[in-house]
């Protein structure tokens, strides 16, 4: 039994695969960079940020958090040779709308005490100010001993209302 | 001074924004699901998995790891109302090519002892067998008290050679 979402995946993927011509791309990103952005449904990184298939790693998590992405960033750089990080957070981000206390409270209320205990030490990494969060994450990456000093790092905001990016740092 | 990668972002984004018409989408994903997949450069989730703008959260990390994504998954479900998880790993994944020892060794060799110390406890979450890793991550999510029991979870493999997905579990 497939759900409607699973049926959509199967039918749309069959269309995609029927026209697919890029089966011989190499594993390491051809343009040696990575994009780190939010999981937000209103962002299509390939289209909005001009990433051709095979060119860049794309890391996405709630808020486009650099801390949360550190494992993936190290792998991207040390094992797959990327040399530049484009960090893009966005307007209207859900991470601006709650605190750690709110999130832990919701889990306890909705899922019960065993769920709350399972994630008791989890930092949900909410943010208070968008531009400051971009600057803070870029600083975090620049300070991290696990990110080489010659890696180029820039920080941006994507506007979900206009489709435009603007550079912060 | 903009790097060539940054110039590409600015010019391609200007093109995208000039035709952008979806500035009024809501924050919660319209189709109430999330896709979790790898950061691999050869995957374009929107195109390959049939995700229209605004429909689904897309979480991406090295290997499409469910453990690594747990923070984002909880936020997606508890704060933004998603009810289904589509987990997609892929053929030719870089995570099949090294061990934790390899990765820690590379960091120490390339970045020195202070970097190695900074990430000494980091699990890089490499995988040994693709289909088993999909099954294992689906099991992990089903067992997690932080993921409600009524969430629909399926596990897939995307073939970077053909553009096709196949269901594992």
């Amino acid at each position: 039994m497939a759900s409607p979402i699973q049926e959509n995946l199967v039918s749309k993927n069959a269309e995609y695969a029927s026209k697919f011509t890029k089966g011989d791309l190499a594993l390491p990103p051809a343009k040696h960079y990575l994009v780190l952005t939010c999981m937000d449904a209103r962002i299509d990184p390939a289209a909005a940020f001009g990433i051709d298939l095979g060119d860049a790693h794309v890391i996405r998590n709630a808020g486009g958090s650099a801390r949360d992405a550190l494992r993936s960033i190290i792998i991207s750089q040390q094992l797959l040779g990327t040399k530049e990080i484009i960090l893009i957070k966005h307007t209207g981000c859900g991470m601006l709308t709650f605190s750690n206390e709110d999130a832990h409270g919701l889990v306890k209320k909705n899922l019960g005490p065993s769920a709350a205990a399972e994630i008791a030490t989890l930092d949900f990494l909410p943010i208070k100010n968008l531009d400051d969060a971009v600057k803070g994450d870029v600083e975090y990456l620049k300070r991290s001993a696990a990110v080489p000093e010659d890696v180029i790092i820039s920080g941006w905001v994507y506007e979900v209302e206009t489709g435009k990016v603007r550079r912060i740092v």
Side-chain angles (χ1 to χ4, degrees), chain A:
Chain A
M1 272 292 294
S3 72
I5 296 297
Q6 293 159 5
E7 284 174 358
N8 174 71
L9 167 61
V10 169
S11 66
K12 295 281 180 56
N13 175 260
E15 257 180 73
Y16 179 79
S18 72
K19 296 167 196 158
F20 186 74
T21 58
K22 305 260 183 158
D24 55 359
L25 294 170
L27 169 57
K31 288 193 177 165
H32 312 296
Y33 74 110
L34 73 87
V35 173
L36 167 58
T37 193
C38 185
M39 69 179 178
D40 194 284
R42 296 164 295 179
I43 304 173
D44 179 351
F49 309 148
I51 308 165
D52 286 337
L53 202 68
D55 277 358
H57 283 143
V58 180
I59 303 168
R60 301 182 66 177
N61 62 44
S65 163
R67 275 166 218 277
D68 190 88
L70 193 62
R71 179 187 69 93
S72 298
I73 291 171
I74 295 171
I75 291 167
S76 177
Q77 294 175 341
Q78 295 306 314
L79 288 133
L80 293 162
T82 62
K83 302 286 183 197
E84 179 160 352
I85 299 173
I86 300 274
L87 167 69
I88 309 180
K89 297 185 191 276
H90 66 97
T91 57
C93 187
M95 304 305 288
L96 288 157
T97 66
F98 66 90
S99 67
N100 258 319
E101 293 66 33
D102 294 336
H104 281 285
L106 263 180
V107 167
K108 192 165 185 180
K109 175 169 162 268
N110 294 345
L111 301 174
S114 69
E118 185 179 305
I119 59 145
T121 61
L122 184 65
D123 185 347
F124 283 98
L125 302 168
I127 61 182
K128 286 191 177 160
N129 173 285
L130 185 57
D131 291 15
D132 287 350
V134 173
K135 288 176 197 161
D137 267 16
V138 169
E139 271 312 300
Y140 167 79
L141 291 170
K142 288 191 171 173
R143 275 198 317 269
S144 172
V147 177
E149 287 192 14
D150 59 353
V151 168
I152 301 170
I153 307 173
S154 57
W156 308 70
V157 162
Y158 174 72
E159 299 176 350
V160 295
E161 301 84 4
T162 64
K164 290 179 187 167
V165 292
R166 54 187 164 83
R167 185 160 178 177
I168 302 298
V169 63

